[in-house]
Amino acid sequence: MRTLLIIAILGISTNFAFSECTDYMQAFNKHQLVIKGMMDLNFQGKMNAEVGDAIGKRLQEAQKPLDAGEYNKACEMYDSILDDYKFDKSFGEAPTLDKKESSNSSSSNDASATSATSSSSEASSSADSAATQPTNK
């Protein structure tokens, strides 16, 4: 019975230890998630001056406890930004697209790649022809 009680206490305290933000890198990663969220907003066309300023002010406020070594407080502030703006909290994972979006984007990427290739080949052929023509002096 004592063994079960000790295991339960250790299990509960371990969960709290993992959820706390105890070092600089954990807080810095949350800061990076906020920056990533801002970039996603910009990509979606939802970023404007008001939103950027509001997030920027909150980031400056979170920087103070981060610099002071109060990592848990900084993480709480970053988490509130992530929650308020519904930013993606996954770190290092590529966003998944549905098949319809990925097929549309791949066809547009193919078209832009083809036009870039053709324009670069035209530029190189005109440079080759200019190099072979004699210059009049």
Side-chain angles (χ1 to χ4, degrees):
M1 186 66 173
R2 284 185 185 174
T3 307
L4 291 176
L5 184 59
I6 292 172
I7 290 172
I9 291 172
L10 288 175
I12 292 171
S13 64
T14 302
N15 288 337
F16 287 126
F18 284 125
S19 66
E20 288 183 12
C21 191
T22 57
D23 68 357
Y24 179 81
M25 284 310 296
Q26 289 173 319
F28 181 75
N29 286 340
K30 295 207 182 247
H31 178 268
Q32 291 301 97
L33 286 173
V34 172
I35 299 300
K36 177 181 169 265
M38 291 175 69
M39 290 173 32
D40 290 343
L41 277 181
N42 190 34
F43 180 71
Q44 296 167 358
K46 297 178 181 177
M47 178 64 80
N48 58 32
E50 292 175 17
V51 173
D53 289 343
I55 295 172
K57 286 178 184 176
R58 291 176 72 180
L59 281 173
Q60 286 177 346
E61 290 174 9
Q63 188 67 38
K64 293 173 186 174
L66 181 65
D67 291 340
E70 298 172 2
Y71 305 122
N72 202 29
K73 184 175 180 181
C75 283
E76 289 173 1
M77 296 173 87
Y78 292 133
D79 282 334
S80 72
I81 296 170
L82 293 169
D83 291 339
D84 290 349
Y85 291 94
K86 295 176 180 49
F87 288 157
D88 183 19
K89 293 182 182 180
S90 61
F91 195 69
E93 298 174 10
T96 58
L97 301 172
D98 15 326
K99 291 182 179 184
K100 185 177 180 181
E101 287 182 24
S102 64
S103 65
N104 289 342
S105 65
S106 65
S107 63
S108 65
N109 288 341
D110 292 343
S112 62
T114 305
S115 65
T117 306
S118 64
S119 63
S120 66
S121 64
E122 290 172 5
S124 64
S125 65
S126 56
D128 291 340
S129 64
T132 58
Q133 293 178 356
T135 56
N136 294 334
K137 293 184 180 180

